[in-house]
């Protein structure tokens, strides 16, 4: 009861955050054109933080005996059914249809956290990547580290390179890894602060798998921009993001070995940052081909709502009440040759 009161107070605090009208007006115009009728129900979720949901990703390196029964008592159930093309046994995540949030764990030096709270849709890029033990893996834009942690719930890469260009976010990434990954394994992880656009030239054809969780216009947080001037600046800079995303993807293609695959993801609904970027890569890089994600989409269709009419190599998760996951765009490509 005390916990639920705390959650209600937290939710009220979120409600007091004001919706930024400048951003909302921009989104209204763009997303009505791009999503059609789907936009109104998506807008209702994005502007209503009290109906947002959080998934609980268990940490296989620090399992608490009573945690799963405690989650079950509070209405949580395993998030991903066994019908998925790729779902490692150690990968365990719990969700529930009710909104609210399981209590977060504080960072304690020398002690591993037992779970990570996140938007369940952000696990789809990790499952699409299909990392196997011993593979060389690059997480090109890794902060704050949730997807890096999730990758390590799936497999133990031979080498795992987590890169984050921004200094502050890089420190956040390091703390996340320290909180979830034990010492022997953390020694196999390289954390760097390189410009992701240069990694392909610095380490050509070095990786089996690359995740590009690209910097994007974060629709959820932008709607609550506290400073209208900052919001206007963000919307002006938004036009430049697709160019950066394309350069990061091109670098990722160079960093991939022939036969290797990459997953591109964003947390925006924007077509310019999603399908348009992937289409540009496919038309300008002759050595990559799309990979069908429809099997994964079918396997998680009970948990997520997808925009219809997408290509088979891409998914766009649309938030709706009771399944308030996303926005999350996921696309998968494979490198077929060196040139």
């Amino acid at each position: 009861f005390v916990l639920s009161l705390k959650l209600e107070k937290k939710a009220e605090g979120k409600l007091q955050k004001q919706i930024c009208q400048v951003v909302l007006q921009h989104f209204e115009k763009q997303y009505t054109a791009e999503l059609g009728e789907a936009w109104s129900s998506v807008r209702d979720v994005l502007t209503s933080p009290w109906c947002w949901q959080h998934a609980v990703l268990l940490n296989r390196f620090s399992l608490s005996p009573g945690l799963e029964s405690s989650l079950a008592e509070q209405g949580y159930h395993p998030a991903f059914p066994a019908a998925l093309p790729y779902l490692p046994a150690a990968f365990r995540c719990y969700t529930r249809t009710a909104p609210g949030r399981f209590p977060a764990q504080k960072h304690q030096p020398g002690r591993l956290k037992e779970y990570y709270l996140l938007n369940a849709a952000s696990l789809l890029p990790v499952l699409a990547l299909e990392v196997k033990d011993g593979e060389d893996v690059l997480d090109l834009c890794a902060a704050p580290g949730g997807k890096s942690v999730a990758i390590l719930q799936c497999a133990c890469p031979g080498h795992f390179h987590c890169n984050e260009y921004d200094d502050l976010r890089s420190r956040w990434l390091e703390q996340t890894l320290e909180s979830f990954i034990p010492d022997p394994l953390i020694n196999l992880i390289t954390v760097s602060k390189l410009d992701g656009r240069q990694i392909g030239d610095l380490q050509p054809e070095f990786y089996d798998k690359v995740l590009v969780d690209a910097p994007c216009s974060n629709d959820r947080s932008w709607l609550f921009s506290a400073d209208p001037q900052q919001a206007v600046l963000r919307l002006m800079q938004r036009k430049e993001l697709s160019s950066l995303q394309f350069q990061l993807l091109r670098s990722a293609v160079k960093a991939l070995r022939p036969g290797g695959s990459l997953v591109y993801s964003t947390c925006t609904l924007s077509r310019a940052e999603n399908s348009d970027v992937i289409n540009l890569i496919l038309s300008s890089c002759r050595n990559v081909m799309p990979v069908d994600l429809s099997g994964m989409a079918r396997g998680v269709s009970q948990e997520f709502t997808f925009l219809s009419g997408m290509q088979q190599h891409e998914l766009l998760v649309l938030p709706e009440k009771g399944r308030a996951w996303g926005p999350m765009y996921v696309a998968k490509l494979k490198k077929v040759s060196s040139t």
Side-chain angles (χ1 to χ4, degrees):
F1 176 70
V2 175
L3 179 61
S4 65
L5 268 181
K6 277 185 182 172
L7 288 174
E8 276 173 31
K9 282 190 173 162
K10 251 191 178 177
E12 280 168 19
K14 268 189 177 168
L15 290 184
Q16 286 159 11
K17 287 202 293 188
Q18 292 297 304
I19 291 163
C20 181
Q21 291 303 316
V22 178
V23 175
L24 183 58
Q25 284 164 16
H26 181 91
F27 284 2
E28 284 282 358
K29 190 175 173 187
Q30 180 180 349
Y31 293 147
T32 301
E34 292 184 10
L35 302 176
E37 290 175 7
W39 165 240
S40 63
S41 60
V42 170
R43 179 191 57 214
D44 289 349
V45 172
L46 292 182
T47 55
S48 311
W50 64 88
C51 76
W52 293 1
Q53 293 157 266
H54 291 81
V56 183
L57 176 68
L58 303 195
N59 184 11
R60 66 174 171 141
F61 306 110
S62 174
L63 290 174
S64 158
L67 180 57
E68 287 177 274
S69 55
S70 170
L71 285 163
E73 282 165 20
Q74 294 180 53
Y76 285 85
H77 55 87
F80 298 100
L84 279 184
Y86 171 84
L87 190 69
F91 185 89
R92 275 142 73 203
C93 178
Y94 284 80
T95 58
R96 64 175 183 181
T97 50
R101 184 179 177 137
F102 203 66
Q105 292 182 308
K106 286 191 169 67
H107 175 70
Q108 293 177 282
R111 187 170 174 189
L112 296 182
K113 292 185 182 182
E114 293 162 0
Y115 55 85
Y116 191 96
L117 302 177
L118 76 178
N119 185 321
S122 64
L123 295 170
L124 294 179
V126 173
L127 294 175
L129 198 60
E130 300 190 22
V131 176
K132 295 177 178 63
D133 287 349
E135 290 183 323
D136 295 318
V137 181
L138 168 63
D139 189 349
L140 194 68
C141 316
K147 292 182 181 68
S148 300
V149 166
I151 285 169
L152 291 163
Q153 302 309 311
C154 294
C156 287
H159 175 67
F160 191 22
H161 181 178
C162 298
N163 182 69
E164 177 53 54
Y165 184 52
D166 182 89
D167 194 51
L168 191 66
R169 285 172 63 81
S170 181
R171 288 206 293 277
W172 188 5
L173 167 65
E174 286 183 341
Q175 189 180 85
T176 302
L177 291 170
E178 275 172 32
S179 292
F180 286 91
I181 311 305
D183 279 345
L185 189 55
I186 217 160
N187 296 335
L188 301 175
I189 303 170
T190 302
V191 177
S192 66
K193 291 189 279 193
L194 299 165
D195 183 336
R197 293 170 291 187
Q198 296 168 358
I199 287 181
D201 289 323
L202 294 169
Q203 297 180 308
E205 302 194 348
F206 191 81
Y207 298 98
D208 300 298
K209 303 278 166 73
V210 180
L211 175 63
V212 185
D213 186 41
C216 67
S217 40
N218 184 325
D219 295 350
R220 276 192 190 232
S221 65
W222 281 26
L223 275 167
F224 295 91
S225 302
D227 179 357
Q229 286 176 309
Q230 182 201 37
V232 171
L233 187 64
R234 276 175 165 173
L235 291 172
M236 285 166 62
Q237 292 171 335
R238 193 178 203 208
K239 297 178 184 123
E240 297 158 25
L241 278 169
S242 56
S243 171
L244 169 64
Q245 290 155 347
F246 173 73
Q247 291 170 55
L248 289 168
L249 259 180
R250 199 167 52 182
S251 174
V253 171
K254 286 181 184 174
L256 263 184
R257 292 182 179 129
S261 52
L262 74 82
V263 168
Y264 173 75
S265 60
T266 73
C267 52
T268 181
L269 298 159
S270 173
R271 190 183 296 158
E273 298 176 52
N274 295 338
S275 301
D276 290 357
V277 174
I278 289 295
N279 290 339
L280 189 57
I281 276 288
L282 286 169
S283 62
S284 60
C285 296
R286 306 271 163 140
N287 59 340
V288 292
M289 58 181 282
V291 178
D292 189 351
L293 289 177
S294 56
M296 186 173 86
R298 279 193 302 276
V300 297
S301 59
Q302 293 298 306
E303 199 81 53
F304 301 100
T305 303
F306 296 109
L307 180 66
S308 58
M310 303 291 279
Q311 300 288 312
Q312 285 190 319
H313 59 273
E314 56 179 1
L315 309 169
L316 181 59
V317 179
L318 301 178
E320 65 172 37
K321 288 207 168 103
R323 300 199 287 187
W325 313 116
M328 179 60 55
Y329 175 80
V330 186
K332 185 170 184 178
L333 306 174
K334 182 173 183 174
K335 185 170 182 175
V336 290
S337 64
S338 293
T339 53

